Amino acid sequence: MYKITERTVLSEREIEFWIIAPRVAAKAQPGQFVILQVDQFGERIPLTVCETDEASGQIRVIFQVIGKSTAELKHLNAGDELQDVVGPLGKPTEIKNYGTVLVVGGGVGIAVLYPVIRGLKQAGNHVITILGAKTKDLVILREECAMYSDELILVTDDGSLGQKGLVTDAMKAVFAREEINQAWAIGPGIMMRYCTDVATKAEVPIYVSLNPIMIDGTGMCGCCRVLVNDQIKFACVDGPEFLGDQVDWDGFIQRMHQYHPEEEEAYQAYQEKQVQLNG
Amino acid sequence: MGKRSFNKTPMREQAPEVRQHNFKEVALGYNMEEGQLEAARCLQCKDAPCITHCPVMIDIPGFIRQIKLGNMAEASKILSRYTNLPAICGRVCPQEKQCEMVCRLGRSKKFEPVAIGKLERLVADWELDQPTDVTDVPKDKGKVAVIGAGPSGLTVAGDLAKIGYDVTIYEALQAPGGVLTYGIPEFRLPKRIVRKEIEQITEQGVKIETDAVVGKTITMDEIMHDFDACYIGVGAGTPNFLGIPGTNLNGVYSSSEYLTRINLMHGYEFPKYDTPVQQSKHVVVIGGGNVAMDSARSARRLGADTVTVIYRRSSEELPARVEEYQHSVQEGIQYSWLTNPVEYLSDEDGNLKGVKCIKMKLGEPDDSGRRRPEPIPGSEFTIKADTAIEAIGQGPNKVLLDTFPELNKNKWGYIDADEQTCATSVPGVFAGGDIVTGAATVILAMGAGKIAAKEIDQYVKSHHSMATV
Ligand SMILES: Cc1cc2nc3c(=O)[nH]c(=O)nc-3n(C[C@H](O)[C@H](O)[C@H](O)COP(=O)(O)OP(=O)(O)OC[C@H]3O[C@@H](n4cnc5c(N)ncnc54)[C@H](O)[C@@H]3O)c2cc1C
Ligand code: SF4
Ligand code: FES
């Protein structure tokens, strides 16, 4: 069992846990993730390891409530225990000194991006960060990202924080004035796809972090497959980071919708139960 | 004694009309009377051929004789000398290609062979209901790590614990059992049986650590440092895909994903369990092995109207256990022989709507001696389908291997280990089961485990004595 030691509400839909998982805490590197399972009935949920504290054997994860499993997770409190936390899974981000890097995070993708930003800064890069979301409250981890960024640009759809517009607009502006050696984009599929287009046009290589549906996370089921450079790759073991211009985006985005009807059913049944229980 | 019947004593089964709607076990087992009737058919051969065709050389006439005498405890004792997982092997071994294939009774035209597998199951199920007496052996001979809690790893661990080793199994998933837990479905191998057989192993003092992916959570360096020896039994768990156009459409699965959702994650009990499985109407399964049968029969049980297995050779070459094939036909599974898929067809939303296939004919024999299937030009046709499941084989599980380049591999990427000793290119590291042979059988994986346990014992003893010199 894995104990939750701290729970923080970051936004209306984003929650943060610190969990005791010493073996993961000792090994996790930027870009890697864990799979956790609340109890035997739950799904296996992949979440990025956002930060580790090796001394106390704890890991930090951030999740967005999107379906039944994450809704259930949201109801857990400090002191509660998870049945399983396994990891660190996936290949780590290739952290090295590239020179000047542009990193773009959208929505809950910011949680995935944060350890990458930290790693890149510590490796000596000049880090330009763009964070975007629908509205101010959803731009999470602002201060922490700022700590490891040489420049931080904030963007919201509604203009409630920073520039009004899309992260791609901000990217274009940076590309216009600065020589960028390597870029990252982490966020919703659509966002990563457009960021890839912008970076590719500017002839800057860009990494994206894919989060397809997963089960085992150890390369055993093929559920997380994506076409990269016309080859079948498993995001859980070959990724999650790939070069954006090599990803078959249509296929990737389509596969994300796979279990919609079934998941709707589970989520609704769960909400009805909550209503019955809590009035 | 009465005359031997020509046929095997039939085993009671759930009727096909009933069982195609549930996941309960199909074959219900012999009772004592049926078992003794069947045991009496055995000729008690000298130089029994069944023994030499059993991969772990079980004294088959020996245990059958004890059943006939009504002495189940003795029968069980004989079995336990050779196998750690008899309740599982009795259910899933391909007996018709092993012991029962050469049974002398079955050699005479009129008679079917003795139902050796069903008798093994009878004894094993009897034993599972008895209280276990564990003799507490001090664990002072050395420390051994076992990687992977499939049948191979479980066997090594059990055998070493019995003779005084301190054994820890590291398993990547949340539950032990390997394919027995995530692959083979409940209706063929109830998980209650798997759990009980595993309990008998943990009662020997074996520790099982789940959520431990070796190569990620724990490194091979740490294992080599902390233990006197280790055994790698990580299986052949990476699904292959044909890679034909449309492979990434919604509704196209590897059998591994389909069966993992159903078995490990209990998708058939959705929404009580959270992991969903697609609700399908028309299912196409590609392949002809046990995995294909398991996928097809699971799809049927989940309510599919039609389930069609397409196999590129003919029924004669079908690699699946005969019993599973027969059961599947009774359950209404259809077969399209000499057929190969060429493309998955998509609707407007990226969902599968059909599988385009081509007819095949058998040409000259290939390296394996089987006649090679060749496409017949112009014979394309389409099968309507919202779900397609590829059960075309697996490759080595690379998570560990990628982090351990010191280990020699063969040209297919499996671990190069000595068949006689399970030794690998790295001293103290042993390997066996599917990760050495490629996807094979439970009994072969278990057999390798038995060999490895003896060799690891030898290795650690000689090592320790060297250390003390
Ligand atoms: C659907 C299906 C049906 C089958 N039906 C039959 C049948 O009827 N009869 C028969 O004889 N055989 C059957 N087989 C084949 C049989 O199940 C296998 O040959 C056998 O299970 C192999 O055993 P193993 O111990 O080598 O590996 P596995 O059973 O594959 O176990 C390997 C274990 O290692 C774990 N692992 C992998 N990597 C790591 C890592 N890095 N760290 C920690 N743990 C790791 C895996 O999670 C797994 O639990 C079937 C197979 C399938 C898939
Ligand atoms: S070969 Fe058949 S008849 Fe002979 S001992 Fe074995 S099971 Fe009995
Ligand atoms: S999640 Fe199963 S192979 Fe990646």
Side-chain angles (χ1 to χ4, degrees):
Chain A
M1 297 297 256
Y2 303 80
K3 194 181 205 148
I4 301 167
T5 52
E6 231 181 283
R7 173 184 185 277
T8 315
V9 178
L10 299 183
S11 79
E12 200 186 310
R13 291 164 69 193
E14 286 146 316
I15 313 277
E16 164 186 309
F17 284 160
W18 278 93
I19 304 168
I20 301 185
R23 287 199 295 220
V24 183
K27 298 258 158 59
Q29 291 171 52
Q32 292 189 298
F33 62 96
V34 288
I35 287 193
L36 52 84
Q37 201 180 345
V38 175
D39 56 28
Q40 58 157 326
F41 301 108
E43 280 188 280
R44 288 172 64 95
I45 310 171
L47 294 177
T48 300
V49 180
C50 180
E51 196 173 342
T52 57
D53 180 12
E54 207 185 327
S56 67
Q58 297 188 75
I59 61 167
R60 178 188 187 193
V61 295
I62 293 175
F63 60 94
Q64 189 178 20
V65 179
I66 43 165
K68 185 194 169 199
S69 296
T70 41
E72 234 167 33
L73 209 54
K74 178 185 163 179
H75 286 286
L76 298 181
N77 285 307
D80 288 342
E81 291 187 328
L82 302 164
Q83 180 188 283
D84 298 279
V85 176
V86 58
L89 302 171
K91 293 212 161 80
T93 306
E94 195 158 331
I95 300 283
K96 62 177 187 198
N97 192 345
Y98 294 86
T100 303
V101 294
L102 174 64
V103 294
V104 185
V108 76
I110 298 172
V112 182
L113 192 71
Y114 169 57
V116 177
I117 298 178
R118 209 179 42 225
L120 287 169
K121 181 69 203 161
Q122 284 163 355
N125 289 279
H126 181 81
V127 181
I128 304 175
T129 303
I130 302 173
L131 302 181
K134 279 210 183 71
T135 182
K136 181 180 168 191
D137 292 344
L138 299 178
V139 186
I140 55 172
L141 307 182
R142 264 172 278 168
E143 286 81 41
E144 290 168 279
C145 290
M147 260 167 58
Y148 297 100
S149 304
D150 295 282
E151 187 183 342
L152 178 68
I153 303 164
L154 302 172
V155 184
T156 48
D157 292 4
D158 61 1
S160 54
L161 178 76
Q163 306 171 11
K164 179 175 163 139
L166 299 170
V167 288
T168 40
D169 302 331
M171 276 178 88
K172 283 178 200 157
V174 173
F175 284 138
R177 67 167 149 95
E178 203 107 15
E179 167 116 14
I180 302 292
N181 302 102
Q182 176 70 46
W184 271 261
I186 306 182
I190 293 282
M191 182 204 102
M192 291 191 285
R193 172 186 213 156
Y194 287 125
C195 293
T196 299
D197 288 347
V198 173
T200 309
K201 227 176 244 150
E203 292 179 15
V204 175
I206 183 166
Y207 282 115
V208 295
S209 177
L210 302 185
N211 55 339
I213 299 170
M214 292 188 183
I215 304 177
D216 60 300
T218 64
M220 203 193 71
C221 73
C223 166
C224 63
R225 66 188 182 276
V226 279
L227 275 185
V228 178
N229 224 355
D230 284 331
Q231 287 183 330
I232 295 179
K233 295 281 176 193
F234 293 176
C236 68
V237 288
D238 302 317
E241 284 186 18
F242 296 101
L243 284 169
D245 61 340
Q246 298 187 347
V247 172
D248 163 31
W249 288 106
D250 283 335
F252 171 71
I253 290 169
Q254 219 166 55
R255 281 185 67 76
M256 295 290 282
H257 297 303
Q258 241 187 118
Y259 281 98
H260 251 223
E262 287 84 2
E263 269 158 11
E264 250 340 75
E265 186 192 334
Y267 194 24
Q268 252 171 28
Y270 174 76
Q271 284 177 322
E272 276 157 26
K273 206 170 99 197
Q274 289 297 312
V275 171
Q276 278 167 17
L277 287 177
N278 307 327
Chain B
M1 201 190 78
K3 259 178 65 188
R4 281 185 179 82
S5 73
F6 293 138
N7 296 327
K8 291 178 180 175
T9 310
M11 183 176 272
R12 283 160 292 122
E13 290 175 349
Q14 274 197 76
E17 315 78 74
V18 178
R19 70 180 191 238
Q20 52 178 287
H21 303 294
N22 69 48
F23 271 82
K24 295 197 196 107
E25 189 166 22
V26 169
L28 301 174
Y30 282 154
N31 59 28
M32 202 50 217
E33 199 181 326
E34 290 159 339
Q36 285 186 305
L37 202 63
E38 184 59 23
R41 291 178 71 235
C42 172
L43 303 168
Q44 292 294 316
C45 305
K46 297 265 157 354
D47 304 321
C50 53
I51 300 182
T52 50
H53 278 71
C54 169
V56 296
M57 306 258 286
I58 294 178
D59 175 8
I60 292 167
F63 92 82
I64 292 184
R65 196 174 107 86
Q66 295 304 327
I67 301 179
K68 190 176 139 195
L69 297 174
N71 197 345
M72 295 302 273
E74 194 52 39
S76 172
K77 210 152 140 204
I78 295 174
L79 274 184
S80 72
R81 250 178 252 147
Y82 304 90
T83 157
N84 305 29
L85 310 166
I88 293 165
C89 293
R91 284 172 168 83
V92 306
C93 269
Q95 288 95 2
E96 75 274 2
K97 292 187 191 129
Q98 303 174 2
C99 53
E100 293 183 19
M101 178 177 81
V102 294
C103 167
R104 219 160 266 158
L105 182 67
R107 284 294 178 79
S108 64
K109 280 224 173 64
K110 282 190 201 155
F111 288 87
E112 283 183 352
V114 175
I116 301 171
K118 295 186 163 78
L119 289 172
E120 180 181 14
R121 168 179 168 174
L122 171 70
V123 178
D125 285 0
W126 175 88
E127 177 65 38
L128 286 179
D129 290 334
Q130 310 304 309
T132 37
D133 58 315
V134 209
T135 36
D136 225 353
V137 190
K139 303 282 183 275
D140 54 6
K141 285 216 182 145
K143 281 178 73 184
V144 178
V146 172
I147 306 162
S152 205
L154 288 167
T155 303
V156 180
D159 279 11
L160 285 173
K162 265 186 233 164
I163 56 171
Y165 283 88
D166 179 3
V167 186
T168 307
I169 308 184
Y170 294 102
E171 167 56 49
L173 293 172
Q174 74 266 34
V179 170
L180 310 175
T181 297
Y182 76 74
I184 306 181
E186 181 77 17
F187 56 82
R188 199 147 75 78
L189 179 63
K191 301 306 151 224
R192 169 181 55 85
I193 301 288
V194 178
R195 270 197 303 273
K196 277 199 169 177
E197 298 247 30
I198 293 175
E199 266 166 34
Q200 302 211 327
I201 289 165
T202 48
E203 277 165 8
Q204 309 283 345
V206 171
K207 288 166 276 187
I208 303 183
E209 289 202 23
T210 50
D211 300 335
V213 186
V214 176
K216 295 276 182 192
T217 316
I218 300 164
T219 62
M220 276 308 288
D221 276 350
E222 289 169 306
I223 299 252
M224 310 264 286
H225 180 266
D226 294 348
F227 294 89
D228 297 310
C230 86
Y231 181 78
I232 303 179
V234 293
T238 307
N240 294 334
F241 287 92
L242 289 165
I244 59 177
T247 301
N248 275 2
L249 291 177
N250 293 333
V252 180
Y253 293 86
S254 74
S255 53
S256 313
E257 176 186 350
Y258 195 71
L259 292 172
T260 300
R261 283 180 179 274
I262 293 172
N263 299 316
L264 180 72
M265 305 310 294
H266 290 259
Y268 66 97
E269 295 181 77
F270 179 84
K272 179 182 168 201
Y273 287 75
D274 294 343
T275 305
V277 195
Q278 189 178 340
Q279 296 295 307
S280 325
K281 286 206 161 59
H282 304 289
V283 178
V284 166
V285 178
I286 298 138
N290 288 319
V291 188
M293 307 292 111
D294 285 344
S295 305
R297 298 172 68 197
S298 297
R300 185 70 173 176
R301 283 163 172 73
L302 288 170
D305 296 338
T306 63
V307 182
T308 311
V309 174
I310 62 181
Y311 181 51
R312 63 199 178 115
R313 302 180 199 253
S314 68
S315 60
E316 261 119 77
E317 286 87 17
L318 198 74
R321 290 181 81 217
V322 198
E323 192 181 357
E324 310 314 330
Y325 168 66
Q326 288 162 348
H327 279 155
S328 75
V329 172
Q330 291 163 2
E331 290 163 13
I333 310 291
Q334 293 159 27
Y335 284 80
S336 181
W337 306 112
L338 291 163
T339 304
N340 221 18
V342 288
E343 184 180 353
Y344 297 116
L345 305 172
S346 172
D347 70 5
E348 312 80 68
D349 302 320
N351 300 311
L352 179 74
K353 68 168 186 193
V355 182
K356 189 167 153 197
C357 302
I358 192 163
K359 282 306 233 182
M360 310 290 277
K361 62 171 193 283
L362 293 179
E364 296 301 309
D366 62 12
D367 299 344
S368 72
R370 296 188 298 178
R371 292 173 63 194
R372 191 196 305 273
E374 294 161 4
I376 304 174
S379 66
E380 287 89 350
F381 66 104
T382 298
I383 306 177
K384 186 174 163 186
D386 49 20
T387 301
I389 304 165
E390 290 194 4
I392 57 155
Q394 296 101 247
N397 202 317
K398 290 204 233 19
V399 173
L400 182 155
L401 300 188
D402 283 353
T403 66
F404 195 36
E406 299 90 318
L407 203 60
N408 285 354
K409 273 152 264 166
N410 64 24
K411 62 176 172 184
W412 299 281
Y414 293 103
I415 297 177
D416 194 4
D418 185 333
E419 233 178 88
Q420 310 295 318
T421 64
C422 296
T424 69
S425 54
V426 179
V429 177
F430 296 76
D434 281 6
I435 190 59
V436 171
T437 56
T441 59
V442 172
I443 189 72
L444 286 172
M446 199 188 79
K450 294 223 98 69
I451 294 172
K454 289 207 184 83
E455 294 293 325
I456 290 174
D457 181 35
Q458 285 304 319
Y459 172 85
V460 175
K461 271 188 198 149
S462 64
H463 223 67
H464 271 187
S465 59
M466 263 162 30
T468 47
V469 170

